[in-house]
Amino acid sequence: MVLVFVEHNNGTFKKAALEAVTYAKMTADTLGTDCKALVFGTAEEASELGKYGVSSVLSLSSDHLAHYDSQAYAAAVANVAKASGASVVVLNNNSTGVGITGRIAVKLDAGCASGVNSLPVKTDNGITVEKNIFSGKAISTINLTSPVSVISVTGNTIQPEVVGSPCSVESISADVPAPRTQVISQDKQQGTVAPLPEAELVVSAGRGMKGPENWGIIEALADALGATTACSRPVADTGWRPHHEHVGQTGVAIRPNLYIAAGISGAIQHLAGVNSSKCIVVINKDPEAPFFKAADYGICADLFDVVPKLTEAIKKAKA
Amino acid sequence: MKQLVCISKTPETTTQIKLSGDSSQLDVAGINYILNPYDEWYALVRAIELKEQIGGTVTVVNVGDASNDVVIRKALAIGADDAIRIDQTPDSALSVAKAIAATVSSDGYDIVYCGKESIDYNGSQVGSMLSELLDVPFVPQAVNMTVEGSTATIQRDIEGGTETISVNTPFLISAAKGLAEQRIPNMRGIMMSKKKPLNVVSQDISDSSTTVTKYTLPAGKGSIKMIDADNMDELVRLLQEEAKVL
Ligand SMILES: Cc1cc2nc3c(=O)[nH]c(=O)nc-3n(C[C@H](O)[C@H](O)[C@H](O)COP(=O)(O)OP(=O)(O)OC[C@H]3O[C@@H](n4cnc5c(N)ncnc54)[C@H](O)[C@@H]3O)c2cc1C
Ligand SMILES: Nc1ncnc2c1ncn2[C@@H]1O[C@H](COP(=O)(O)O)[C@@H](O)[C@H]1O
């Protein structure tokens, strides 16, 4: 059995969570077994996960799971995996997964692959999965041979796929230790666009913008697309843009469907965080800018001229 | 406050990755190694700041062979008091975490730091595994931390924002950008680092649950299409019909 740990926000599931479910379902198909989902608390939409291929949803309620705590969460997932005889545990490689993937693996004595971006392939002695290493400069194929494996999946690896119909939801219990951390508050950006790690469309700009006062044209382009904004490191370091927008080797690593970069030279450390994007558009006035070598489409011109024109063209196409 | 910082060695950030003949191996010839930026810039510096503020010690620990001594000395030059090198070739995140746990579990560290990830294998696993082995709370991706008495208030990155967490020592955190500002070692630090203790211990822990069977290089981008600045309609059409991303 493949067990997928699915996070929900007040009862509803984000796209990334559904991606993990589809990943788990496809893994189960490869292994010739079934797939169950584990959710914490009661999620209104829980039975909907059946549409993405799980045979049932296990709903675990405990006061100890009210807030994220890596010890309590990992123990809960591991205990359910043990009790249900799971051979593979799947979870998202996000801010939740990063705290518990390793803990679950230790608890289950399981082989562990984190940040995986390919579906598993069955081998003689287990399964293999692929992941990016050296910030996307190489790919490693990892063979997991232990009786139980833990896999955390990178966002945008596969798209959620409806393959079935709503399923049953079963309340279960499991031992969950009391959390030893307390969540005091959460501070989330307002607005409707997806946060950078989950964004499918990203508009990014660099030092070529000359100053923070010029960012209006980037925001207008992002608005027209429904995209999330990002920036290069020097831009965040000098305070032109907030730190959470910094992408690259030392910032956020992203893999959106579309990455538009204006006034960014394309230094190797910047590329390291964005080179897994499906499609890259580069706007730079320097024909020698290294970013052109990593791009699908390029416009060699002044960004202050190009960006507003692109915004207009997108508005026109959408109208 | 007794603090421990786990440090790893990674290829310098501009390194071009090459494969050796049969693609099953990385070609490591000529690679220049540095201290993993997350460990050096954020974890280590925050630990040193805290020591300067409230006293105590900062120990660094690394799992690896004698060739790692160069980066360990750099950590001492930046301001760590002493170092432990566990003389073992790391074969996976689990073997690294187990080797560290076996070496330090009875030493009573109040705060253990890891980097958010090592920029070579990008695993982000050692911290989570080590916290489980040491049976302590773990706060991943910390961007800010203040400590009062035995209670720490930590901000960590979550999707689209931050979360503020309170935790009592002992605990483990992984350091992300913002936790501290990079420090360049000065001459005095470099001189003193040579006299600071670097203790070599041995462990013999291996992990056979995972093996890397192959390395590949990402498929390069096909040739780029240049678009005229006055023809943004054409770009939008290509994004819709050719790239299919809009
Ligand atoms: C250890 C390390 C880690 C790093 N990590 C990161 C990281 O995570 N992310 C990151 O981004 N960087 C990182 N860097 C920095 C990186 O090396 C580059 O310095 C940085 O990415 C450059 O930012 P930029 O492209 O915005 O600026 P610049 O390199 O100054 O490039 C500006 C570009 O804008 C173009 N331009 C100027 N005016 C116009 C105009 N009017 N119209 C069109 N184009 C114009 C120029 O031709 C130029 O190509 C790191 C560096 C180190 C050493
Ligand atoms: N060989 C090692 N020795 C000591 N600490 C390590 C080693 N490898 C990784 N770490 C620590 O674990 C963190 C995460 O590494 P990783 O799980 O490889 O991404 C690093 O930032 C280090 O703090």
Side-chain angles (χ1 to χ4, degrees):
Chain A
M1 197 266 283
V2 176
L3 182 72
V4 54
F5 171 56
V6 193
E7 273 186 288
H8 63 93
N9 288 44
N10 304 319
T12 60
F13 299 101
K14 286 203 208 172
K15 179 171 169 271
L18 299 176
E19 286 171 17
V21 177
T22 292
Y23 186 95
K25 167 63 178 160
M26 291 182 170
T27 303
D29 288 348
T30 302
L31 299 176
T33 178
D34 70 328
C35 169
K36 289 182 181 168
L38 168 63
V39 297
F40 289 168
T42 43
E44 202 182 314
E45 291 180 359
S47 62
E48 296 289 297
L49 295 179
K51 290 189 188 167
Y52 299 89
V54 304
S55 59
S56 74
V57 175
L58 310 176
S59 149
L60 173 63
S61 295
S62 160
D63 292 346
H64 293 164
L65 298 171
H67 287 295
Y68 178 62
D69 173 84
S70 70
Q71 258 173 324
Y73 269 43
V77 176
N79 288 340
V80 173
K82 264 186 214 156
S84 58
S87 61
V88 180
V89 177
V90 173
L91 58 165
N92 284 115
N93 184 35
N94 59 8
S95 66
T96 301
V98 87
I100 61 175
T101 305
R103 292 196 95 125
I104 296 170
V106 169
K107 282 196 172 291
L108 295 176
D109 212 0
C112 179
S114 61
V116 164
N117 59 15
S118 79
L119 283 165
V121 174
K122 213 171 154 178
T123 62
D124 304 343
N125 59 350
I127 49 176
T128 60
V129 288
E130 289 177 5
K131 69 167 291 186
N132 283 359
I133 54 170
F134 297 101
S135 311
K137 287 186 243 175
I139 299 157
S140 67
T141 303
I142 302 165
N143 195 13
L144 295 158
T145 51
S146 42
V148 183
S149 311
V150 179
I151 298 175
S152 77
V153 194
T154 299
N156 226 358
T157 293
I158 47 167
Q159 296 307 306
E161 209 175 290
V162 173
V163 292
S165 47
C167 65
S168 63
V169 181
E170 187 187 332
S171 288
I172 56 161
S173 55
D175 261 353
V176 183
R180 284 152 73 190
T181 59
Q182 270 178 313
V183 175
I184 301 170
S185 63
Q186 277 194 350
D187 181 15
K188 291 204 184 179
Q189 295 137 236
Q190 300 305 312
T192 49
V193 296
L196 211 37
E198 295 169 0
E200 289 181 22
L201 305 172
V202 175
V203 176
S204 185
R207 254 193 331 217
M209 293 296 293
K210 309 281 189 293
E213 67 282 4
N214 297 329
W215 241 266
I217 54 169
I218 296 299
E219 278 161 0
L221 174 57
D223 274 351
L225 281 164
T228 306
T229 49
C231 68
S232 67
R233 175 164 158 214
V235 162
D237 281 352
T238 49
W240 291 3
R241 298 297 291 176
H243 275 302
H244 64 77
E245 285 197 358
H246 159 197
V247 290
Q249 184 144 48
T250 47
V252 186
I254 55 172
R255 41 187 290 138
N257 290 334
L258 175 62
Y259 184 71
I260 301 179
I264 301 177
S265 56
I268 193 160
Q269 296 96 348
H270 183 86
L271 295 181
V274 304
N275 57 6
S276 306
S277 308
K278 292 218 173 81
C279 175
I280 297 179
V281 175
V282 167
I283 303 167
N284 198 304
K285 68 176 181 189
D286 173 9
E288 302 293 317
F291 219 147
F292 284 124
K293 291 204 179 68
D296 300 279
Y297 302 104
I299 303 131
C300 186
D302 189 333
L303 71 91
F304 293 102
D305 174 44
V306 176
V307 172
K309 282 182 182 159
L310 179 54
T311 307
E312 283 318 307
I314 283 163
K315 281 188 184 159
K316 205 167 85 190
K318 281 198 168 182
Chain B
M1 191 70 64
K2 209 174 154 185
Q3 303 183 89
L4 179 73
V5 184
C6 303
I7 57 170
S8 61
K9 179 184 84 169
T10 52
E12 194 258 322
T13 55
T14 55
T15 306
Q16 303 283 354
I17 303 301
K18 285 179 277 177
L19 304 181
S20 67
D22 64 352
S23 283
S24 62
Q25 300 272 311
L26 292 170
D27 180 1
V28 293
I31 290 185
N32 193 11
Y33 289 96
I34 58 170
L35 252 179
N36 185 37
Y38 291 105
D39 309 349
E40 177 190 336
W41 302 352
Y42 311 128
L44 177 60
V45 175
R46 188 66 192 110
I48 293 167
E49 287 171 354
L50 207 55
K51 175 192 137 177
E52 289 166 352
Q53 193 195 331
I54 59 178
T57 54
V58 175
T59 302
V60 292
V61 62
N62 171 261
V63 180
D65 61 28
S67 69
N68 290 9
D69 288 353
V70 186
V71 295
I72 298 174
R73 289 281 173 210
K74 179 160 189 206
L76 294 170
I78 293 171
D81 297 293
D82 58 354
I84 307 169
R85 181 167 61 76
I86 303 171
D87 194 34
Q88 175 188 309
T89 308
D91 60 4
S92 76
L94 187 61
S95 70
V96 169
K98 282 187 172 170
I100 297 174
T103 308
V104 307
S105 60
S106 57
D107 294 350
Y109 288 102
D110 299 299
I111 306 179
V112 180
Y113 299 75
C114 280
K116 176 180 117 174
E117 65 176 13
S118 56
I119 62 167
D120 48 6
Y121 290 101
N122 306 113
S124 297
Q125 288 187 24
V126 171
S128 178
M129 289 173 167
L130 181 58
S131 67
E132 185 63 31
L133 294 165
L134 296 175
D135 189 22
V136 294
F138 173 43
V139 182
Q141 306 186 336
V143 294
N144 186 56
M145 175 173 73
T146 53
V147 179
E148 249 173 81
S150 60
T151 305
T153 306
I154 301 168
Q155 265 181 306
R156 72 178 200 103
D157 275 338
I158 56 173
E159 284 68 28
T162 55
E163 181 171 79
T164 305
I165 283 165
S166 167
V167 60
N168 290 332
T169 58
F171 63 87
L172 192 150
I173 67 172
S174 77
K177 183 185 172 181
L179 191 66
E181 291 284 334
Q182 183 180 8
R183 281 191 189 182
I184 311 290
N186 57 25
M187 213 44 214
R188 185 159 167 272
I190 294 167
M191 295 308 293
M192 280 176 42
S193 74
K194 298 189 176 122
K195 300 197 194 81
K196 289 179 176 172
L198 193 172
N199 303 307
V200 180
V201 302
S202 57
Q203 293 283 356
D204 188 18
I205 293 165
S206 64
D207 167 29
S208 58
S209 64
T210 55
T211 40
V212 173
T213 51
K214 190 171 73 177
Y215 293 98
T216 37
L217 296 179
K221 288 273 177 197
S223 57
I224 182 173
K225 267 194 190 147
M226 296 304 290
I227 316 245
D228 193 89
D230 291 318
N231 201 359
M232 286 302 104
D233 291 338
E234 171 67 0
L235 176 62
V236 173
R237 189 190 69 77
L238 288 167
L239 293 176
Q240 285 175 324
E241 291 168 19
E242 188 179 70
K244 297 189 170 65
V245 291
L246 286 186

